[in-house]
Amino acid sequence: MVQYHRYQQWKKGDVCLDEESHPFDGFVCEKTGYCKRARLKLLFLVLLCFISFSFILVPLFFTSAPTLSLLYSFGFDDEGVVSTSDVYASVCSSVSNGSICCDRSSIRSDICVMKGDVRTNSANSTITLYRNNGNDEIFQHEKIRPYTRKWEKSVMDTIDELDLVSKGENSGIHQNCDVKHDVPAVFFSTGGYTGNLYHEFNDGILPLYITSQPFNKKVVFVILEYHYWWISKYENILPHLTEYPIIDFRGDKRTHCFPEAIVGLKIHDELTINASLMGRNKTIRDFRDMLDEAYSPRIRSLIQEEELDINRSALSEKWNMKMKKPKVVIIARNDSRAILNEDLLVKMAENIGFQVEVLRPQRTTELAKIYRSLNSSDVMIGVHGAAMTHFLFMRPDSAFIQIIPLGTDWAADTYYGQPAVKLGLKYIGYKILPQESSLYNEYKKSDPVLMDPDSVNNRGWEFTKKIYLDRQNVRLNLRRFHKRLLRAYYYAIAKKNGRLHHQKQ
């Protein structure tokens, strides 16, 4: 689970006056001298703030757009006013013809925009923008690795680097267009942590959705470190983001010419979308609707295949039985962090009144089949790990129970808990006790591994991975877990009754 390797959170900028130390709080004018001194202090503070803001605002009027990226790098988090993720929209959205604009202020990814006569040269990893004047003179040269984990040097070093060059138009005679496109291109990499479901969605599919939305599918995707299996895996989704054939940057040696190129992807936060940063106020629910639309044809096909294999009346009876009970899907892990008493969990869920399905996703499992199972479920249960990314396949207003092993509290909440709430799921976190961990039999009862996981995590990623991710399994205290499962059951029943009541009206 490489996503634990987390960047340091950016901090809110300092302000001159905050609500807790306002100069007028408790102001009592008992003596004229005291009032004058207070007023002088106040005037001094106001003057100091004015001077400070002047240093920030002056460059706004005398600096070109690319340089302004530094001004926006002091963004606020979700509770603030400005996000570092919004810099692309505010700095590079109005790029003049014949220029390159790069936003490097975000901690997550760099993005460059090239507008004009843009031509590819895969042989030397170059994208060239030809200007209306000059000969072979290079006006601008930028380097970029188009992947959304900028802060993580170890993985960024594995991503192919591109040279973005702006040259005089006469140089273009040496690089004729083999394929001329009349729509923009988006360049990105499917290298890095691709192969891990969390990273495929968080670092790839969601940023690709965010970046491509303004073009309404009138955009060409150009992929570095192209993988045929990735194209096959997401073949249902990609046509809903672009209506053009996808280009393998390394494999296609032809010179492709575009009127505009966006190199790199925009990313907002973990497995979510910030509507305020989207041109049409798109949210994570809009992304979920897109998934629904993408997988519906294949799901209908799967149902038709089943109807051919099963007697229609038997299928109808089976369907009616399913509709009477809320459905819970248990995502089973195939390696570490497995539920050791999974069979007893299944029986308990059935006794409560659930229809139970145990899902064991493999690398080769078709995503449409997983989507179908979760889209038709009322509750999803799973132990923290990349497979929890499948919560994106749940209908909003469904319930998601995440089992949180020792040492994974922060990551479970950050990567899956909070994003699930933003999608509209009822999130129920189940933090296990030391006695429910397989580590309980390996360490002394007073060992920090059991009693103080934070101190172990503070020693470094390698300790977290070795101890809590690779060597830990879970044996649920079913009496304790029963309370969470029962809560999810009553929630599902209430939602079902609510839907039925709505339909009757």
Side-chain angles (χ1 to χ4, degrees):
M1 292 299 295
V2 288
Q3 68 262 33
Y4 276 72
H5 194 172
R6 171 78 169 177
Y7 58 85
Q8 296 231 344
Q9 295 287 344
W10 53 86
K11 298 180 180 180
K12 292 185 177 181
D14 294 334
V15 293
C16 294
L17 301 176
D18 59 40
E19 294 178 358
E20 295 180 358
S21 59
H22 197 286
F24 289 107
D25 285 352
F27 186 85
V28 180
C29 190
E30 295 180 350
K31 295 182 181 179
T32 306
Y34 175 83
C35 289
K36 287 181 179 178
R37 287 194 300 272
R39 289 193 186 99
L40 286 172
K41 289 181 180 179
L42 175 59
L43 288 172
F44 176 76
L45 286 172
V46 171
L47 180 61
L48 183 61
C49 286
F50 177 77
I51 294 172
S52 299
F53 278 115
S54 296
F55 281 109
I56 296 174
L57 294 175
V58 166
L60 180 63
F61 301 102
F62 299 101
T63 312
S64 60
T67 311
L68 284 175
S69 60
L70 290 174
L71 178 63
Y72 291 90
S73 65
F74 301 96
F76 294 98
D77 59 20
D78 290 341
E79 297 175 358
V81 180
V82 181
S83 168
T84 52
S85 302
D86 197 29
V87 180
Y88 167 73
S90 53
V91 174
C92 294
S93 57
S94 57
V95 184
S96 59
N97 204 49
S99 63
I100 302 175
C101 173
C102 288
D103 160 31
R104 301 186 185 276
S105 64
S106 172
I107 197 170
R108 292 174 176 267
S109 66
D110 290 337
I111 297 175
C112 292
V113 180
M114 310 172 74
K115 198 165 186 179
D117 182 2
V118 180
R119 307 187 189 190
T120 64
N121 188 333
S122 59
N124 60 8
S125 302
T126 301
I127 307 173
T128 305
L129 173 65
Y130 292 100
R131 294 177 54 163
N132 296 336
N133 55 331
N135 296 315
D136 289 335
E137 179 184 358
I138 294 178
F139 295 97
Q140 190 174 350
H141 184 187
E142 303 282 351
K143 289 181 177 291
I144 185 172
R145 298 179 189 270
Y147 191 62
T148 55
R149 297 188 77 79
K150 172 183 167 181
W151 76 90
E152 198 169 344
K153 186 178 185 301
S154 59
V155 71
M156 291 302 290
D157 286 345
T158 70
I159 303 299
D160 288 351
E161 187 174 59
L162 290 174
D163 286 291
L164 311 184
V165 178
S166 173
K167 285 185 176 182
E169 65 177 353
N170 290 340
S171 306
I173 62 176
H174 305 298
Q175 191 182 357
N176 295 324
C177 296
D178 295 317
V179 184
K180 195 165 186 177
H181 304 267
D182 57 2
V183 296
V186 171
F187 292 75
F188 64 97
S189 172
T190 54
Y193 292 136
T194 299
N196 174 289
L197 188 72
Y198 162 82
H199 289 288
E200 287 173 15
F201 271 91
N202 187 71
D203 305 342
I205 296 296
L206 262 165
L208 190 58
Y209 173 85
I210 291 169
T211 307
S212 64
Q213 276 304 291
F215 303 107
N216 195 27
K217 297 196 289 187
K218 303 293 184 182
V219 62
V220 176
F221 294 159
V222 184
I223 300 180
L224 283 73
E225 295 151 286
Y226 182 102
H227 300 289
Y228 287 102
W229 66 261
W230 185 88
I231 299 294
S232 176
K233 184 173 183 177
Y234 295 104
E235 64 180 354
N236 299 110
I237 295 176
L238 292 171
H240 291 267
L241 303 180
T242 175
E243 56 187 39
Y244 295 89
I246 294 173
I247 297 172
D248 175 1
F249 183 75
R250 295 291 178 202
D252 191 336
K253 303 299 183 182
R254 296 174 298 175
T255 297
H256 289 266
C257 299
F258 301 95
E260 183 178 354
I262 295 88
V263 187
L265 300 177
K266 291 189 286 183
I267 178 172
H268 293 166
D269 207 342
E270 310 301 332
L271 293 176
T272 196
I273 293 171
N274 186 335
S276 66
L277 306 181
M278 298 291 285
R280 303 176 205 169
N281 291 321
K282 296 281 187 178
T283 69
I284 188 65
R285 289 204 185 195
D286 291 296
F287 176 78
R288 175 59 173 69
D289 290 342
M290 184 274 292
L291 293 182
D292 231 11
E293 188 179 348
Y295 286 117
S296 289
R298 175 56 181 149
I299 290 173
R300 285 195 295 269
S301 175
L302 290 170
I303 293 172
Q304 289 172 359
E305 291 172 12
E306 287 181 2
E307 289 178 344
L308 293 174
D309 297 334
I310 304 175
N311 180 277
R312 282 182 179 274
S313 60
L315 184 65
S316 178
E317 182 180 350
K318 183 180 178 182
W319 177 255
N320 289 333
M321 288 293 292
K322 285 183 177 182
M323 288 300 290
K324 292 179 181 178
K325 293 182 177 182
K327 175 183 173 183
V328 60
V329 172
I330 300 172
I331 305 288
R333 290 185 60 86
N334 302 307
D335 43 19
S336 63
R337 283 162 283 150
I339 302 174
L340 299 177
N341 52 349
E342 180 186 289
D343 54 340
L344 296 177
L345 171 61
V346 170
K347 290 180 180 178
M348 183 176 74
E350 290 175 339
N351 290 336
I352 286 176
F354 279 109
Q355 169 211 339
V356 182
E357 178 181 351
V358 178
L359 197 59
R360 301 182 186 279
Q362 306 288 336
R363 285 186 178 273
T364 56
T365 304
E366 185 181 356
L367 279 183
K369 293 181 178 179
I370 301 175
Y371 191 90
R372 181 189 177 192
S373 293
L374 291 170
N375 186 54
S376 63
S377 70
D378 300 284
V379 181
M380 171 178 135
I381 300 174
V383 181
H384 169 69
M388 294 303 93
T389 307
H390 289 120
F391 80 79
L392 291 170
F393 296 0
M394 298 286 289
R395 297 187 312 273
D397 296 329
S398 302
F400 167 33
I401 303 177
Q402 181 177 204
I403 299 167
I404 306 170
L406 297 180
T408 66
D409 300 21
W410 179 88
D413 182 58
T414 300
Y415 295 117
Y416 306 112
Q418 293 178 30
V421 171
K422 292 175 182 176
L423 180 61
L425 303 184
K426 179 175 178 60
Y427 174 66
I428 302 172
Y430 179 80
K431 182 179 177 180
I432 71 168
L433 299 174
Q435 294 88 333
E436 295 175 88
S437 171
S438 60
L439 299 174
Y440 193 73
N441 299 320
E442 297 183 33
Y443 294 87
K444 293 181 180 179
K445 306 306 179 279
S446 59
D447 195 288
V449 166
L450 302 176
M451 304 309 296
D452 188 14
D454 286 345
S455 67
V456 178
N457 288 332
N458 289 339
R459 293 167 63 187
W461 154 247
E462 64 275 12
F463 290 95
T464 298
K465 184 177 187 302
K466 179 182 177 181
I467 297 172
Y468 294 122
L469 302 183
D470 294 344
R471 286 173 42 206
Q472 183 175 196
N473 290 314
V474 173
R475 186 175 296 278
L476 293 173
N477 179 331
L478 294 178
R479 180 174 297 180
R480 182 168 175 258
F481 190 77
H482 183 273
K483 298 176 183 178
R484 271 71 167 187
L485 194 53
L486 197 61
R487 191 194 315 170
Y489 176 79
Y490 286 132
Y491 175 80
I493 289 294
K495 297 303 295 184
K496 275 183 175 292
N497 290 339
R499 286 197 293 270
L500 289 173
H501 179 68
H502 179 72
Q503 289 171 357
K504 288 176 182 177
Q505 289 182 329

